[in-house]
Amino acid sequence: MKKNQFFLFLLVCTVNYGQAVRKYSNEFMNIGVDAAALGMANAVTASTADVNSGYWNPAGLMNLEDHQLALMHANYFANIAQYDYIGYASPIDDRSAWGISLIRFGVDDILNTTELIDSQGNIDYNRISLFSTADYGFTFSYARKLPVPGFQYGVNAKVIRRIIGKFADSWGFGFDVGLQFEKNNWKFGLMVRDITTTYNVWNINEKEYQKIADAVPGQNQELPESTEITAPKAQLGLSKKFIIRYDYSIMAAANVNMRFAKTNDLISSDFVSVDPALGFEFGYTDLVFVRAGVGNFQNVEQLDNTNKVGFQPNIGLGFKYKGIQVDYALTDLGNQSAALYSNIFSLKVDLSLFRN
């Protein structure tokens, strides 16, 4: 039942698009990857420096010393939806690096009840079938050092593939640009997602659409338009790592996340909406890590029409040994925001380990 309701919600939200910029188009690409980053409330724009930089800020790929592989799996919406990620990156030379990644966000085994009632008006449960809906994001990343000391940049080229069973599917294309700068152990980062806007073109199965067109009399009588555009988003980041008595370290990081539209973010205007995030990582001998962060500050309307500021706390743990790192994050600790908490695990492997 939950999956059936989720499908109806997803289908309505997806097919009711127009040929216009959308605030929340391709939102699955904004969930995030790597439990280490998620445990710090995604405040890693300035500090990201591994294979996962292809997602957070491709400029960070320049900090790679060898080939790396990353994997992540998470469940969302009470285990209804599955979120999976795989990434690979490596240096090209001492001034450039590259990477690739794939994200899948999907719901499987959804009940298709569009043919539940036969032509005679009888309910026939044998006419129920199953289908899946899935969003895919493939990213190719390239990073390079700039001639100016301390500066490095990165570019992502993205291909988006979205499928809703046999009802509809789309292709999309877009680009991200990232920049990092380091001086006196302070790190600064800028990430602009969908800088050229990401353009999705949908193909709707008209035969299948007609089966639901009359579900609500007088509504859904015309096919939706076939394009949607994802507007640019920007993140500014700052971080610094402090070493305490050789064995201990503390990294503090902050992000300012911006959407160029009016949303429910903490600071909101017609031009830009701003959502801050803070993250901390405590490390011991580069072996054990404890993380915490808070972000997703939103103005949430209450039942009495008043507004309350909601936020999303996160905590995480990490273990690193001989090039293998396992991380865990518990997001939305305490359920202070509108989202449900999730348990997230990720794995990162330095592939040089297998050449020794």
Side-chain angles (χ1 to χ4, degrees):
M1 181 62 70
K2 285 184 178 180
K3 289 188 177 181
N4 198 25
Q5 293 173 345
F6 183 84
F7 160 65
L8 292 175
F9 169 78
L10 180 67
L11 186 61
V12 169
C13 290
T14 303
V15 300
N16 283 282
Y17 50 74
Q19 193 170 358
V21 173
R22 297 298 181 187
K23 291 181 183 178
Y24 303 108
S25 175
N26 293 330
E27 274 298 289
F28 79 100
M29 292 295 289
N30 297 323
I31 293 175
V33 304
D34 182 27
L38 296 172
M40 296 178 63
N42 305 348
V44 296
T45 302
S47 61
T48 183
D50 58 19
V51 58
N52 299 303
S53 299
Y55 177 87
W56 295 111
N57 187 341
L61 293 174
M62 279 308 308
N63 297 293
L64 283 170
E65 296 181 358
D66 210 314
H67 303 246
Q68 282 188 350
L69 176 71
L71 302 168
M72 191 190 90
H73 172 75
N75 297 319
Y76 286 89
F77 307 116
N79 295 329
I80 294 176
Q82 309 297 314
Y83 183 83
D84 296 286
Y85 158 79
I86 182 172
Y88 168 82
S90 70
I92 298 174
D93 51 39
D94 61 350
R95 300 197 62 83
S96 59
W98 74 285
I100 55 173
S101 65
L102 176 67
I103 291 173
R104 180 188 186 270
F105 183 74
V107 180
D108 300 307
D109 297 329
I110 303 171
L111 295 177
N112 179 5
T113 59
T114 57
E115 298 181 356
L116 176 62
I117 301 176
D118 62 22
S119 59
Q120 304 300 317
N122 301 312
I123 295 177
D124 184 356
Y125 292 102
N126 293 321
R127 295 167 64 90
I128 296 177
S129 59
L130 300 176
F131 72 98
S132 297
T133 177
D135 299 328
Y136 299 89
F138 175 80
T139 302
F140 175 82
S141 306
Y142 176 78
R144 189 169 182 83
K145 287 184 178 180
L146 288 168
V148 181
F151 278 95
Q152 53 200 34
Y153 73 91
V155 178
N156 287 337
K158 302 185 296 187
V159 178
I160 308 296
R161 175 65 169 162
R162 307 185 68 185
I163 303 171
I164 305 179
K166 57 185 178 182
F167 300 94
D169 61 84
S170 77
W171 288 97
F173 306 91
F175 295 89
D176 306 328
V177 173
L179 181 69
Q180 284 185 337
F181 172 67
E182 181 175 1
K183 186 174 183 179
N184 298 330
N185 294 323
W186 285 92
K187 294 184 177 181
F188 306 86
L190 170 66
M191 175 67 165
V192 183
R193 301 183 183 277
D194 307 300
I195 189 170
T196 59
T197 70
T198 294
Y199 189 78
N200 284 69
V201 179
W202 282 88
N203 173 51
I204 298 173
N205 187 322
E206 295 188 27
K207 181 179 178 181
E208 294 296 327
Y209 182 81
Q210 291 304 316
K211 294 179 182 179
I212 63 172
D214 297 320
V216 179
Q219 297 186 19
N220 300 324
Q221 301 301 304
E222 297 181 2
L223 284 173
E225 295 185 24
S226 59
T227 59
E228 63 179 348
I229 299 172
T230 305
K233 295 171 287 292
Q235 289 95 36
L236 285 170
L238 170 69
S239 72
K240 186 172 184 179
K241 189 173 185 178
F242 303 88
I243 304 299
I244 304 172
R245 294 184 179 179
Y246 303 102
D247 290 337
Y248 302 93
S249 66
I250 297 177
M251 182 172 67
N255 256 33
V256 176
N257 306 310
M258 296 173 285
R259 290 178 182 265
F260 299 100
K262 191 169 186 177
T263 69
N264 290 329
D265 287 342
L266 183 62
I267 302 172
S268 183
S269 69
D270 291 334
F271 172 69
V272 66
S273 298
V274 179
D275 166 31
L278 298 172
F280 299 91
E281 179 186 77
F282 172 80
Y284 173 67
T285 65
D286 201 32
L287 178 67
V288 181
F289 304 91
V290 178
R291 305 179 181 98
V294 60
N296 194 25
F297 289 89
Q298 300 286 305
N299 293 307
V300 181
E301 186 173 352
Q302 306 300 299
L303 293 176
D304 60 0
N305 294 324
T306 61
N307 283 333
K308 176 183 176 182
V309 177
F311 58 92
Q312 180 174 321
N314 310 277
I315 59 173
L317 295 171
F319 301 92
K320 182 179 179 181
Y321 182 69
K322 290 186 176 181
I324 298 178
Q325 183 169 330
V326 179
D327 295 294
Y328 164 78
L330 176 64
T331 68
D332 196 23
L333 181 66
N335 198 29
Q336 294 294 318
S337 73
L340 298 175
Y341 73 87
S342 298
N343 296 287
I344 301 170
F345 294 90
S346 67
L347 173 69
K348 184 172 65 179
V349 180
D350 189 336
L351 298 181
S352 65
L353 174 68
F354 301 99
R355 292 199 297 273
N356 296 332

